[in-house]
Amino acid sequence: MEILDVLTSMAKTGRLGPVFSGADWNDVTAALGEPWDIGTMSRNRRWPRLFAYGDLELSVCRCRKVSLICVQTWRDVVELPPSVVGGTGTFPAGLKHAEVVSALDRASCSWEPHAALTFGNQCSLTAIVSGANFTFEIPEGEEPVLNIMGLPGDGHDCSARTAVQDH
């Protein structure tokens, strides 16, 4: 499988194997193993936390549901869990805007420009079916290069739970 196949599939389905917005964290770790614990997203609370399987980054809320998903593509290589993408899980990075658009079009995955994230030296597009967002950096005088691909959160709200569960 190539990285464009992985990202296009994510854009069409809103998931990467067991990972999707709203997935139970225990199910994800049972399938993929223990991730890197990048740390808390707040100075005052233990949750939500950011975890990573290589360049697949997941925000997990205090009710232990996956709330945000992104694939960092700005590095030299993109590393994803081999158990869900096959092979070594390592892919070359540096995907150009035209390559991403062509892959989405070939997969019949409709998309549209995302104006709110298009400014300065970046541009963005959104896959209509899943809301997946592709944000590109535009190096001076060059074609835009994919920086990050993300799937939207499911919008759930943990605020009904007690503050004790945050710690």
Side-chain angles (χ1 to χ4, degrees):
M1 187 175 279
E2 300 295 325
I3 188 64
L4 280 172
D5 298 326
V6 173
L7 298 178
T8 300
S9 176
M10 288 177 69
K12 287 185 75 170
T13 65
R15 64 185 308 139
L16 178 62
V19 177
F20 57 92
S21 291
D24 184 273
W25 186 233
N26 290 328
D27 294 342
V28 172
T29 58
L32 300 181
E34 289 301 315
W36 299 335
D37 186 348
I38 296 175
T40 183
M41 295 176 67
S42 167
R43 291 184 182 169
N44 301 324
R45 298 177 191 255
R46 289 183 31 188
W47 296 93
R49 296 189 74 77
L50 188 62
F51 296 95
Y53 292 95
D55 292 308
L56 174 65
E57 294 183 359
L58 310 171
S59 175
V60 179
C61 68
R62 67 180 174 205
C63 70
R64 309 312 190 263
K65 300 285 185 191
V66 174
S67 55
L68 291 172
I69 302 162
C70 69
V71 176
Q72 300 290 343
T73 59
W74 56 268
R75 297 175 175 98
D76 292 334
V77 296
V78 177
E79 295 180 19
L80 298 173
S83 61
V84 293
V85 298
T88 64
T90 303
F91 304 94
L95 299 170
K96 304 289 189 201
H97 185 274
E99 295 171 314
V100 172
V101 166
S102 179
L104 292 171
D105 288 345
R106 278 192 314 274
S108 299
C109 184
S110 299
W111 59 274
E112 61 189 5
H114 188 103
L117 292 177
T118 299
F119 53 86
N121 68 340
Q122 76 176 36
C123 64
S124 184
L125 63 88
T126 300
I128 296 168
V129 67
S130 67
N133 182 265
F134 295 80
T135 300
F136 301 81
E137 176 185 5
I138 308 171
E140 190 171 328
E142 297 180 36
E143 185 179 354
V145 178
L146 186 61
N147 191 293
I148 190 169
M149 184 269 198
L151 295 172
D154 66 356
H156 84 276
D157 182 8
C158 298
S159 62
R161 295 185 178 244
T162 65
V164 173
Q165 291 173 312
D166 283 348
H167 303 288

